């Protein structure tokens, strides 16, 4: 049976695109933890289709490798702020945190967020400076900046005495950051650092089995799966246990199977021992913070913090004239079942029934968090409508408050005026600027989340795609009066049903920017473009050229179409107004007016 002293639990954290998943990928290959089929894939930890397409980690995952007789449980965490709740929960299962920083960019906003969590919990800090193979890399500067950041965040002397390696996940090498450059040993120096500098897990003295659930997963065959680190004792298949939830009476059940990770696979084991990170099945109503222990044993542990949702949208059945033509799942009952199933294991997501019949309010951490759910459902064949996101307020001592965010914008000097003007319109206050080089600045703004919805797409348009935008939640503040961040342009709305024709579209494109092409089917109330002014225009896009039996002395006009607007799901969510909806089907995303009789 596995010995607790031979276990290391390590969480890997970093800012978006600093190479967490790529680095874990190389560690798995170095330790020969992948099967022959898995070894042919890139970024094997991003197994979700949307993770591969978006190039980000959405769900935190646990993998494990064996290195020199030691089992290393590695927790890969998301780097995007919308999935920060995943980081906060799973970091409690670790005894140390490996902070990865880009050798070119240095510490970024999300680096600060996750490092603060690790320092507050007193975890051991380790550092890996990634992407040192890039010509402009400055690993020494990145380590100095990270040291200054740790000091600012209140790290103690032991945490500041961190070991560090320089590495390249792309080229698969690592070496001691404070020693000579040596790229011949692969990722061995990084693995040795994890084994030699991280202590084995601390466990309780008692022999009774105790585990607290930090993460949930779901399987069509096994149901809900509870994941956590064993605090004391051991768990085995068929064991009769008690589940203690904060403020509730104990529930009695039986464990069906015990699993732990081996590479990318979840493997059934005879015993889940103290200190190891395991998964339990058979507990149908298990939840985050639940304590699983033997019957008759009473244990009290501090409940885990779960990020409260700040943004909500309304899901409803699709009632447009094109309803049922592209999707397979249309009924309100099936829509509700799918949403409640998602909320059962995605604990940062809340689902409630709205006042309107057949409408469900879904709350999450941000537009990307909700966009991932919507995209997953449309790929599963669901067809539904979604409203514009609304911000969830809270009341404190009779005063209404709303969530605020810090927004970091890296842009060229020539675009600074446009960026500051746009942020001022959204009621975001300019805090300060920091020069990055002779031609670029990092601007910091503080503003209400209500105004910063969809800011990424807007700023990329203003800066010709060159800006880098990062946001960070900072809590609640005084609510600002008035509408903020609403669209400043009207829309072009189809006044009938039929096929859009180029004869009409060529003249309509002079009134705004179109979203449809020649031959697309449209219906009455569908939004087909953005107007040039702030007024909604109902237009006929189905009129064709009148054909008459007469000779013309001049050639017919050449009807040319300009480039059309293409919105991603997240862009559409924040572009529409409160009186509009997004029609989501497996084949299309359409915008339409909400209240209109077809």
């Amino acid at each position: 049976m596995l010995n607790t002293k031979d276990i290391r639990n390590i969480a890997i954290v970093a800012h978006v695109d600093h190479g967490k998943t790529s680095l874990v990928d190389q560690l798995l290959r170095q330790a020969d933890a992948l099967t022959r089929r898995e070894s042919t894939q890139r970024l094997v930890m991003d197994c979700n289709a949307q993770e591969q397409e978006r190039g980000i980690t959405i769900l935190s995952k646990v993998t494990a490798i064996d290195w020199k007789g030691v089992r290393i449980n590695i927790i890969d965490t998301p780097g995007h702020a919308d999935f920060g709740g995943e980081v906060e929960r799973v970091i409690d299962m670790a005894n140390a945190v490996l902070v990865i920083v880009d050798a070119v960019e240095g510490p970024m906003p999300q680096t600060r967020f996750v490092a603060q969590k690790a320092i507050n919990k007193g975890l051991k800090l380790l550092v890996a400076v990634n992407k040192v193979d890039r010509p402009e890399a400055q690993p020494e500067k990145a380590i100095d900046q990270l040291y200054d950041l740790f000091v600012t965040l209140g790290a103690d002397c032991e945490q500041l005495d961190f070991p560090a390696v320089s590495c390249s996940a792309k080229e698969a090498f690592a070496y001691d950051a404070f020693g000579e450059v040596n790229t011949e040993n692969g990722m061995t120096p990084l693995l040795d650092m994890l084994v030699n500098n991280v202590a084995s897990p601390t466990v309780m003295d008692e022999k009774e089995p105790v585990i607290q659930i930090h993460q949930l997963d779901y399987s069509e065959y096994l149901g809900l799966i509870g994941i956590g680190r064993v605090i004391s004792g051991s768990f085995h298949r068929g064991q009769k246990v008690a589940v203690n939830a904060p403020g509730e009476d104990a529930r009695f059940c039986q464990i069906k199977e015990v699993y732990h990770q081996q590479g990318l696979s979840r493997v059934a084991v005879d015993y889940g021992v103290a200190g190891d990170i395991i998964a339990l099945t058979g507990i149908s109503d298990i939840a985050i913070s639940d304590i699983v222990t033997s019957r008759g044993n009473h244990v009290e542990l501090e409940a885990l913090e779960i990020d409260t949702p700040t943004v909500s949208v309304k899901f409803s059945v699709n009632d447009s004239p094109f309803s049922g033509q592209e999707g397979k799942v249309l009924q309100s009952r099936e829509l509700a079942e799918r949403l409640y199933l998602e909320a059962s294991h995605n604990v940062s997501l809340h689902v409630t029934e709205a006042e309107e019949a057949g409408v469900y309010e879904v709350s999450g951490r941000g537009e990307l968090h909700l966009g991932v759910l919507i995209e997953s459902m449309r790929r599963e064949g669901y067809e539904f409508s979604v409203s514009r996101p609304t911000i969830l307020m809270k009341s404190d001592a009779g005063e209404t408050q709303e969530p605020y965010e810090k927004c970091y914008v890296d842009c060229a000097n020539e675009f600074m005026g446009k960026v500051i003007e746009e942020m001022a319109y959204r009621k975001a206050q300019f805090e300060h600027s920091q020069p990055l080089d002779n031609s670029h600045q990092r601007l910091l703004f503080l503003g209400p989340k209500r105004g910063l919805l969809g800011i990424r797409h807007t700023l990329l348009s203003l800066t010709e795609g060159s800006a880098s935008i990062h946001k960070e939640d900072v809590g609640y503040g005084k609510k600002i009066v008035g509408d903020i961040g609403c669209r400043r342009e009207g829309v072009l709305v189809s006044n009938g049903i039929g096929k859009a024709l180029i004869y009409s579209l060529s003249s309509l494109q002079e009134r705004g920017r179109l979203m449809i092409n020649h031959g697309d089917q449209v219906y009455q109330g569908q939004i087909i473009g953005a107007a040039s002014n702030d007024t909604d225009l109902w237009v006929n896009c189905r009129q064709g050229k009148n054909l008459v039996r007469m000779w013309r002395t001049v050639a017919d006009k050449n009807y040319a179409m300009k480039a059309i607007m293409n919105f991603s799901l997240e862009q559409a969510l924040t572009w529409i107004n409160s009186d509009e909806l997004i029609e989501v089907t497996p084949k299309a995303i359409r915008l339409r007016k909400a209240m209109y009789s077809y």
Side-chain angles (χ1 to χ4, degrees):
M1 194 163 66
L2 186 65
N3 193 320
T4 302
K5 294 182 179 180
D6 297 330
I7 298 174
R8 305 290 187 270
N9 296 323
I10 300 161
I12 295 187
V13 298
H15 186 76
V16 180
D17 203 33
H18 277 202
K20 295 183 308 299
T21 305
S22 300
L23 202 60
V24 175
D25 187 82
Q26 294 296 348
L27 294 180
L28 290 167
R29 297 178 193 278
Q30 183 79 38
D32 293 326
L34 301 177
T35 63
R36 182 180 299 178
R37 181 181 63 84
E38 292 167 347
S39 61
T40 62
Q41 303 173 15
R42 258 188 89 253
L43 300 178
V44 290
M45 289 295 288
D46 283 345
C47 52
N48 184 291
Q50 288 197 63
E51 290 180 321
Q52 296 171 355
E53 293 170 12
R54 296 172 184 265
I56 61 173
T57 301
I58 296 173
L59 302 173
S60 59
K61 308 174 190 70
V62 180
T63 186
I65 58 178
D66 293 322
W67 184 253
K68 297 183 178 179
V70 176
R71 173 180 171 81
I72 306 176
N73 287 314
I74 299 175
I75 308 167
D76 184 22
T77 63
H80 198 282
D82 276 16
F83 309 104
E86 292 275 331
V87 181
E88 289 190 82
R89 291 196 313 278
V90 300
I91 206 172
D92 281 330
M93 294 191 291
N95 302 106
V97 169
L98 177 62
V99 181
I100 300 176
V101 63
D102 192 309
V104 178
E105 295 183 344
M108 296 289 280
Q110 190 69 6
T111 312
R112 181 187 184 93
F113 171 78
V114 293
Q116 181 72 76
K117 299 293 180 184
I119 289 171
N120 291 346
K121 296 180 181 297
L123 300 180
K124 173 76 174 179
L125 298 178
L126 304 97
V127 171
V129 183
N130 193 23
K131 304 185 182 181
V132 296
D133 56 306
R134 294 176 60 178
E136 64 272 33
Q138 296 179 296
E140 297 85 1
K141 181 180 178 181
I143 290 179
D144 291 341
Q145 292 175 336
L146 204 56
Y147 183 89
D148 293 339
L149 175 63
F150 292 161
V151 172
T152 304
L153 297 178
D156 58 34
C157 294
E158 184 178 352
Q159 290 173 321
L160 291 174
D161 187 21
F162 54 82
V165 297
S166 296
C167 61
S168 169
K170 181 180 179 181
E171 300 297 333
F173 67 78
Y175 55 87
D176 187 352
F178 306 113
E180 296 181 359
V181 176
N182 183 0
T183 62
E184 298 178 356
N185 296 324
M187 305 304 292
T188 298
L190 177 53
L191 288 167
D192 288 343
M193 182 182 75
L194 300 181
V195 170
N196 299 330
N197 292 277
V198 179
S200 56
T202 303
V203 299
M204 297 170 62
D205 294 333
E206 61 178 72
K207 296 182 180 180
E208 296 292 338
V210 178
I211 185 174
Q212 187 172 29
I213 303 302
H214 288 74
Q215 192 178 6
L216 297 176
D217 198 0
Y218 179 79
S219 166
E220 293 181 358
Y221 307 102
L222 302 174
L224 273 178
I225 302 171
I227 302 170
R229 178 169 59 90
V230 182
I231 299 173
S232 69
S234 63
F235 291 87
H236 59 83
R237 180 192 305 116
Q239 185 175 4
K240 296 180 179 180
V241 296
V243 181
N244 299 298
E248 298 180 10
D249 295 333
R251 312 187 305 274
F252 301 109
C253 54
Q254 186 173 2
I255 296 174
K256 287 186 178 179
E257 290 286 351
V258 178
Y259 298 89
H260 75 186
Q261 287 294 133
Q262 193 62 45
L264 300 182
S265 305
R266 188 173 281 158
V267 180
V269 293
D270 295 330
Y271 290 93
V273 301
D276 198 8
I277 297 176
I278 64 171
L280 303 176
T281 64
I283 307 175
S284 59
D285 53 352
I286 198 165
I288 297 293
S289 294
D290 280 359
I291 301 169
V292 182
T293 184
S294 57
R295 300 185 180 185
N297 185 38
H298 182 71
V299 179
E300 290 187 2
L301 297 174
E302 186 176 347
L304 301 176
E305 293 183 7
I306 299 176
D307 280 349
T308 56
T310 56
V311 178
S312 72
V313 297
K314 290 185 177 180
F315 283 67
S316 58
V317 292
N318 183 21
D319 58 356
S320 81
F322 291 172
S323 173
Q325 296 183 9
E326 299 171 352
K328 297 181 293 185
V329 187
L330 311 171
Q331 292 78 11
S332 174
R333 176 182 55 81
E334 293 177 314
L335 177 64
E337 288 176 355
R338 177 63 178 84
L339 292 174
Y340 283 115
L341 175 63
E342 183 72 21
S344 67
H345 58 277
N346 188 344
V347 294
S348 295
L349 201 73
H350 292 180
V351 179
T352 56
E353 194 169 348
E355 295 179 358
E356 305 95 324
V359 179
Y360 299 89
E361 189 169 349
V362 181
S363 306
R365 293 292 300 169
E367 62 264 36
L368 179 59
H369 186 198
L370 296 170
V372 168
L373 169 62
I374 295 170
E375 181 64 28
S376 298
M377 291 177 63
R378 71 180 288 238
R379 294 184 183 194
E380 295 167 13
Y382 286 82
E383 188 174 304
F384 51 92
S385 296
V386 183
S387 70
R388 174 180 169 83
T390 57
I391 299 300
L392 301 178
M393 310 292 180
K394 77 172 187 178
S395 181
D396 185 17
E399 181 185 34
T400 303
Q401 295 185 334
E402 63 178 325
Y404 275 67
E405 290 181 326
K406 284 183 180 179
C407 185
Y408 299 83
V409 183
D410 296 354
C411 67
N413 295 339
E414 60 183 296
F415 299 120
M416 283 180 58
K418 293 180 179 180
V419 171
I420 294 174
E421 181 181 358
E422 177 65 27
M423 298 299 277
Y425 171 76
R426 294 171 177 261
K427 305 299 182 184
Q429 183 178 353
F430 177 65
E431 296 286 307
H432 64 77
S433 64
Q434 174 187 349
L436 299 177
D437 53 39
N438 294 332
S439 59
H440 288 77
Q441 296 276 339
R442 174 171 296 168
L443 310 178
L444 172 60
F445 299 89
L446 175 64
K449 190 165 190 169
R450 186 160 45 113
L452 297 180
L453 285 177
I455 191 64
R456 187 181 308 276
H457 174 63
T458 303
L459 293 186
L460 286 175
S461 298
L462 290 176
T463 60
E464 301 175 3
S466 62
S468 176
I469 302 103
H470 307 286
K471 296 193 291 185
E472 177 186 343
D473 289 324
V474 293
Y476 283 77
K478 184 178 179 180
K479 180 185 176 183
I480 297 177
V481 179
D483 293 331
I484 306 173
C486 295
R487 189 182 65 226
R488 285 173 275 185
E489 55 192 352
V491 291
L492 304 177
V493 188
S494 173
N495 64 1
I497 188 169
K499 181 188 291 186
L501 300 176
I502 193 170
Y503 180 77
S504 299
L505 295 178
S506 61
S507 58
L508 289 176
Q509 65 186 352
E510 304 302 326
R511 300 187 180 186
R513 297 170 295 162
L514 295 178
M515 302 177 184
I516 60 173
N517 273 315
H518 168 71
D520 290 348
Q521 293 290 335
V522 297
Y523 56 80
Q524 191 173 15
Q526 180 179 339
I527 297 172
I528 64 169
S532 300
N533 52 36
D534 58 358
T535 305
D536 292 348
L537 298 176
W538 290 76
V539 297
N540 182 7
C541 62
R542 300 161 289 108
Q543 182 180 1
K545 180 181 177 182
N546 292 325
L547 302 178
V548 294
R549 297 179 61 184
M550 61 182 296
W551 290 99
R552 294 180 180 271
T553 58
V554 293
D556 282 343
K557 179 182 177 182
N558 183 22
Y559 300 106
M561 288 290 294
K562 299 177 183 178
I564 65 170
M565 299 169 63
N566 284 314
F567 282 148
S568 68
L569 190 53
E570 289 78 29
Q571 291 168 0
L573 275 173
T574 54
W575 189 81
I576 61 173
N577 279 337
S578 56
D579 65 334
E580 298 161 359
L581 293 176
I582 303 175
E583 179 187 350
V584 181
T585 74
K587 295 182 180 180
I589 295 176
R590 303 184 186 93
L591 310 184
R592 67 181 179 92
K593 288 294 182 179
M595 301 299 294
Y596 190 76
S597 176
Y598 302 107

